[in-house]
């Protein structure tokens, strides 16, 4: 028995081949894209069940990178504050050294104390008003542009000038030890923030930042927080400001009474020494907080590198495998194109020969 098999038509064969070629061209374009980009063209489809892991890793990466960026800004702020405190300490120390050399009696260089104190006071005022990113560092959470009122300028809210108030107190004279003690008591009230007139307290006269604020606490990642906050109205600042103001406003070499001289200059030295120690302590705390921030950022950077490597393992394409796929697809396409070309040349006349 003779059987007949019906062969597919030439049109149908061409259609099948054309569809196959189109599919291979799509695969070839995909392979070329993956080879060029280094990652899979459809990442989450290719990952299958592992896609959730990739999503979680990417989310963690974004959180860590955002926290690292925030830590960089915070660390820069703290480092700038620490540097400013160091510069303040150097300026204060110069005045203190000269003043200590003349404590008790005029050591021969007492006439230079006032000039040195004025220079140190100017430096202290400048460094206390330093900004970082347009925000004053020592003003607390304030929306102002400075932390300390200019010594020779009147405040906009009260019209009082720090220098004028200090000079007014010293106008009473330092003729005796009792006079010196009285003037010191008046200055203590200002710089202790206990003066009867709130406009003539340190906060009302000198400080232009936010008063009554607690130290700031900031998260640095992984549930860790650091507490920091150095303001220009802290006790250490008020002490060094008082000591410098006492020496800058008076030429101690012209205090004739030895007891008044000793009382005045020794009190100024005590204020400067105590304040300088307080500023050093604040600087150490800032440096400790900055070190903790650096440690947290380093830890997150190391973790981010691990996450990136894991994600890369999941989404990156093996370049050798991609190149091999491209070569295979090109060979298949060439063979298909060749077969199509040969078939297109067939005719019934050729068959009859």
């Amino acid at each position: 028995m003779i059987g007949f098999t019906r062969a597919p038509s030439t049109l149908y064969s061409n259609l099948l081949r054309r569809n196959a070629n189109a599919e291979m061209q799509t695969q070839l374009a995909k392979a070329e894209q993956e080879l060029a980009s280094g990652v899979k063209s459809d990442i989450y489809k290719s990952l299958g069940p592992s896609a959730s892991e990739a999503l979680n890793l990417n989310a963690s990466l974004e959180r860590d990178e955002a926290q690292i960026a925030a830590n960089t800004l915070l660390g820069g702020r703290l480092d700038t504050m620490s540097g400013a405190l160091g510069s303040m300490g150097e300026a204060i120390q110069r005045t203190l050294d000269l003043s200590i050399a003349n404590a008790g009696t005029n050591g021969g260089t007492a006439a230079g104390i006032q000039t040195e104190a004025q220079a140190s006071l100017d430096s202290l005022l400048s460094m206390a008003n330093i900004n970082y990113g347009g925000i004053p560092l020592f003003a607390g959470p304030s929306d102002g542009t400075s932390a300390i009122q200019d010594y020779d300028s009147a405040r906009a809210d009260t019209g009082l000038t720090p220098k004028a108030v200090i000079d007014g107190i010293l106008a009473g004279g330092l003729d005796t030890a009792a006079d010196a003690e009285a003037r010191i008591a008046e200055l203590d009230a200002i710089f202790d923030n206990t003066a009867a007139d709130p406009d003539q307290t340190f906060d009302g006269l000198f400080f232009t930042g936010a008063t009554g604020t607690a130290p700031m606490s900031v998260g640095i990642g992984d549930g860790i927080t650091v507490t920091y906050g150095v303001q220009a109205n802290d006790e250490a600042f008020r002490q060094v400001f008082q000591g410098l103001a006492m020496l800058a406003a008076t030429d101690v070499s012209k205090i004739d009474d030895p007891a008044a001289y000793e009382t005045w200059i020794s009190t100024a030295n005590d204020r400067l020494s105590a304040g300088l120690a307080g500023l050093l302590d604040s600087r150490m705390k800032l440096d400790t907080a900055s070190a903790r921030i650096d440690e947290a950022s380093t830890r997150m950077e190391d973790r981010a590198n691990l996450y990136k490597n894991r994600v890369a393992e999941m989404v990156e394409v093996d370049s050798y495998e991609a190149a091999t796929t491209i070569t295979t697809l090109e060979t298949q396409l060439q063979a298909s194109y060749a077969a199509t070309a040969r078939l297109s040349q067939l005719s019934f006349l050729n068959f009859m020969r």
Side-chain angles (χ1 to χ4, degrees):
M1 181 178 179
I2 299 176
F4 295 93
T5 301
R6 185 175 182 180
S9 67
T10 302
L11 177 61
Y12 183 65
S13 297
N14 287 338
L15 181 61
L16 291 176
R17 189 170 292 105
R18 186 164 58 249
N19 291 340
N21 289 348
E23 178 63 25
M24 283 189 287
Q25 287 174 341
T26 300
Q27 294 177 10
L28 180 60
K30 174 183 174 182
E32 290 173 341
Q33 176 188 346
E34 291 180 345
L35 181 62
S37 64
V39 297
K40 298 174 181 178
S41 61
D42 191 342
I43 294 175
Y44 296 108
K45 179 179 179 181
S46 63
L47 289 177
S50 299
S52 60
E53 179 185 357
L55 288 170
N56 290 334
L57 289 175
N58 281 325
S60 297
L61 269 173
E62 291 178 358
R63 285 195 301 269
D64 284 350
E65 288 174 349
Q67 186 64 64
I68 290 170
N71 285 357
T72 300
L73 291 174
L74 179 59
R77 178 183 177 89
L78 298 190
D79 290 343
T80 303
M81 293 176 75
S82 175
L85 290 176
S87 298
M88 293 178 198
E90 293 174 1
I92 296 164
Q93 189 66 57
R94 289 193 296 269
T95 298
L96 181 60
D97 289 343
L98 183 59
S99 185
I100 288 175
N102 291 275
T105 58
N106 188 334
T109 55
I113 294 177
Q114 184 178 30
T115 300
E116 188 65 49
Q118 288 171 344
S120 296
L121 184 59
D122 289 341
S123 179
L124 185 61
L125 287 166
S126 175
M127 298 307 296
N129 284 324
I130 191 170
N131 287 358
Y132 184 82
I135 300 174
L137 291 178
F138 297 104
S142 169
D143 57 0
T145 58
S146 65
I148 294 293
Q149 176 69 25
D150 184 73
Y151 193 64
D152 295 329
S153 301
R155 289 183 64 109
D157 51 353
T158 65
L160 296 176
T161 302
K163 184 179 185 302
V165 173
I166 301 299
D167 289 346
I169 292 174
L170 295 179
L174 298 170
D175 297 327
T176 65
D179 289 337
E181 290 173 355
R183 304 295 89 76
I184 291 170
E186 291 182 76
L187 291 174
D188 283 345
I190 290 176
F191 289 94
D192 288 345
N193 275 327
T194 57
D197 184 354
D199 291 340
Q200 294 194 21
T201 62
F202 184 86
D203 284 350
L205 189 61
F206 284 87
F207 190 59
T208 57
T211 60
T213 58
M216 289 175 280
S217 182
V218 180
I220 58 175
D222 298 332
I224 302 173
T225 60
V226 294
T227 301
Y228 74 98
V230 180
Q231 296 189 185
N233 66 336
D234 291 343
E235 183 178 7
F237 275 89
R238 289 185 277 114
Q239 288 174 325
V240 294
F241 269 115
Q242 180 175 354
L244 291 177
M246 290 173 66
L247 298 177
T250 306
D251 184 352
V252 293
S253 66
K254 294 181 179 180
I255 300 177
D256 296 326
D257 183 72
Y261 175 93
E262 182 179 359
T263 298
W264 188 259
I265 199 167
S266 62
T267 300
N269 290 345
D270 289 343
R271 300 293 185 272
L272 290 176
S273 296
L276 193 57
L279 293 182
L280 177 60
D281 181 64
S282 296
R283 188 181 187 190
M284 291 176 62
K285 290 179 180 178
L286 287 174
D287 290 342
T288 299
S290 181
R292 292 186 64 195
I293 293 170
D294 289 342
E295 290 174 1
S297 293
T298 299
R299 183 171 57 253
M300 286 185 289
E301 287 170 355
D302 292 341
R303 184 170 63 207
N305 289 331
L306 292 175
Y307 287 170
K308 288 177 182 177
N309 290 335
R310 175 54 182 157
V311 171
E313 291 175 359
M314 299 173 70
V315 305
E316 287 184 356
V317 174
D318 183 276
S319 57
Y320 176 78
E321 180 181 348
T324 301
T325 300
I326 290 173
T327 301
T328 301
L329 289 170
E330 287 176 343
T331 301
Q332 292 175 349
L333 275 172
Q334 289 172 357
S336 179
Y337 290 151
T340 300
R342 287 195 300 271
L343 288 174
S344 66
Q345 294 174 0
L346 294 178
S347 69
F348 182 72
L349 292 177
N350 290 333
F351 175 77
M352 292 299 293
R353 288 179 182 176

